[in-house]
Amino acid sequence: MDLALSKVIELRESGFQFLHLRDEDGQLDRIMAFKQRRGFIDSILFWSETEARAGRLPAVRDSRRAAQAVWIYEGPLVEAVDRLLDLPEPGSRNAPTLMKRTASDLAVVTTLPFSLKLPPGAIA
């Protein structure tokens, strides 16, 4: 647990923001950390030290389609944090750019407990 906690602290010190996501009974279900980086959002969602999902998603996307990631990893929390923090800076050589698979649970907007209702053409 000490190593996992130190990795969560490392995320915070790297500028990630945190959301505590609760289930329908109000109990803590999972934690999300996210950080915007040059047109992308790096995010990680974790349930325990053995279960985490991390990804890099475009910051702007068509909300009528499921979110897709250019990079995604599922596994233990420590490994997920290490791999996420080791990703090359977006736009740099070797940074992932090809859309891979659906990652809607890693999209911050679809994870928030509210939705924005905007008229067509509105800018949020």
Side-chain angles (χ1 to χ4, degrees):
M1 181 62 168
D2 290 339
L3 182 56
L5 183 57
S6 71
K7 290 298 175 179
V8 172
I9 292 168
E10 191 174 342
L11 284 172
R12 186 189 69 209
E13 290 174 349
S14 297
F16 280 75
Q17 297 177 36
F18 289 81
L19 293 172
H20 298 110
L21 304 170
R22 302 187 179 279
D23 63 17
E24 56 277 348
D25 297 324
Q27 299 296 311
L28 181 63
D29 181 51
R30 60 201 182 283
I31 296 173
M32 174 181 257
F34 61 94
K35 178 180 179 181
Q36 188 162 348
R37 302 179 67 184
R38 299 185 70 200
F40 290 88
I41 295 175
D42 288 354
S43 65
I44 184 167
L45 189 62
F46 58 96
W47 294 261
S48 68
E49 31 181 324
T50 60
E51 188 179 4
R53 186 167 194 214
R56 177 174 284 170
L57 294 81
V60 177
R61 67 178 183 84
D62 182 347
S63 62
R64 296 169 294 185
R65 295 183 177 180
Q68 289 190 303
V70 296
W71 175 87
I72 200 161
Y73 172 81
E74 294 180 50
L77 175 60
V78 170
E79 185 73 18
V81 171
D82 284 342
R83 289 182 183 213
L84 184 61
L85 293 177
D86 286 344
L87 278 175
E89 183 72 22
S92 68
R93 186 181 172 143
N94 299 324
T97 57
L98 296 177
M99 293 298 179
K100 299 206 183 246
R101 53 187 209 188
T102 302
S104 293
D105 61 341
L106 291 171
V108 176
V109 172
T110 59
T111 305
L112 294 175
F114 58 85
S115 61
L116 297 174
K117 302 288 186 197
L118 300 172
I123 298 174

